[in-house]
Amino acid sequence: MPSFAPLKNDTFLRALLRQPTEYTPVWLMRQAGRYLPEYRATRARAGSFMGLATNPDLATEVTLQPIDRYPLDAAILFSDILTVPDAMGLGLYFVEGEGPKFQRPLKTEDDVKALRLPEAGSLDYVFKAVTQIRTELNGRVPLIGFSGSPWTLACYMVEGQGSREFHTIKKMLYSRPDLMHHILETNARAVAEYLNAQIDAGAQAVMIFDSWGGALADGAYQQFSLHYMQKVVAQLQREKDGVKIPAVVFTKGGGHWAEDIAQIGADAMGLDWTADIGKVRALVGDKMALQGNLDPAILFASPEQIRAEVVRVLDGFGKHNTGHVFNLGHGISQFTPPESVSAMVEAVHSHSRSLRAA
């Protein structure tokens, strides 16, 4: 078992567990990424996105880049949500300018019936990266592990690539729900095992990204996305070596399902920028922490406008010293000026401290 340095800044973990914090912690979805020149340089050395993601040394390097640049309160493993279906044999590849695709999507009943959990060892490169990142962080901030949700993974597995309309998977969902449930059941087991292995390797919190749950109709969301995230959460290690491991779930476009999401047993719920964080807090604040929910586009504005919008989100959450992790409502744009992130992080830390002093 790896042994790690003691944690110096646990503000993020305490906020997820709704314990008091001196200020509101902040990290960014996609914080290790294309908006940073140092990331682009490492990516060029790697030769390809998957060359970067599958090399623990390089994945460690890019995970630490934003931590070295900004006073963020958490690091997140550099990886991709599609590592799991790739390890199930679907053949992940990337087309420049078009995003991820699968060579062998689930098109027929036989394809679905043949679906298996990832082969042993096929994701070891991820777990090696987790241990290496946690070691090199040396206790500075906690490390977040993550996975795509069963439904979001299924969208790529059935469509074969990203989609705007989701015609193929929705046709399966409505005409052959038995096949859809088989895929989702398999994915839920794979995701739970994957996240637990990240926890064993050193992840101190885990997050489930349900990027496409918001594409579902009411009713279908609860049956085909939320139900399977609940299955994952129920299988997670929630404690490691006597320390709690918080779990965060994030459905993009899911703010109107907040009360349903609050029932599944996770510690925190991510919100995108379309949700009113104050209203959601009033609904679920006694059940889970909230993470979010600045519009990423504000980072193209002036430092004064960024600060004003940060203040609006923090004031919207209210004068509470528990249960809020500041984040964007979705991943940071690759075109974001790096100095905008400095302005945002500084505003979060300073205004949240002043709110607690008021």
Side-chain angles (χ1 to χ4, degrees), residues 94-167:
F94 286 81
V95 177
E96 197 63 45
E98 293 183 36
K101 300 192 176 193
F102 283 112
Q103 292 167 343
R104 295 175 288 282
L106 305 179
K107 292 294 183 197
T108 67
E109 183 164 347
D110 286 346
D111 293 339
V112 173
K113 296 265 172 75
L115 188 65
R116 295 289 178 268
L117 294 172
E119 302 226 346
S122 58
L123 290 162
D124 280 357
Y125 66 91
V126 176
F127 313 134
K128 283 181 180 145
V130 170
T131 301
Q132 189 169 334
I133 295 162
R134 173 85 187 269
T135 301
E136 294 196 21
L137 276 169
N138 200 30
R140 286 157 69 185
V141 292
L143 175 60
I144 306 164
F146 74 92
S147 173
S149 72
W151 164 257
T152 290
L153 297 183
C155 287
Y156 288 99
M157 293 159 74
V158 173
E159 298 282 347
Q161 58 189 28
S163 173
R164 287 179 186 272
E165 305 291 339
F166 300 98
H167 287 157

Side-chain angles (χ1 to χ4, degrees), residues 24 271-281 292-299 303-320 324 326-329 343-344 347-352 354-355:
T24 301
L271 295 172
D272 68 25
W273 65 90
T274 63
D276 181 322
I277 197 165
K279 286 181 180 169
V280 175
R281 188 186 184 284
N293 64 334
L294 190 73
D295 182 350
I298 193 66
L299 297 179
E304 295 74 28
Q305 289 167 305
I306 293 169
R307 181 174 179 83
E309 202 60 18
V310 165
V311 166
R312 193 186 67 78
V313 173
L314 288 168
D315 288 354
F317 184 81
K319 288 188 179 184
H320 310 282
H324 186 203
F326 199 96
N327 207 313
L328 303 177
M344 186 205 77
V348 173
H349 285 160
S350 63
H351 186 66
S352 62
S354 66
L355 272 179

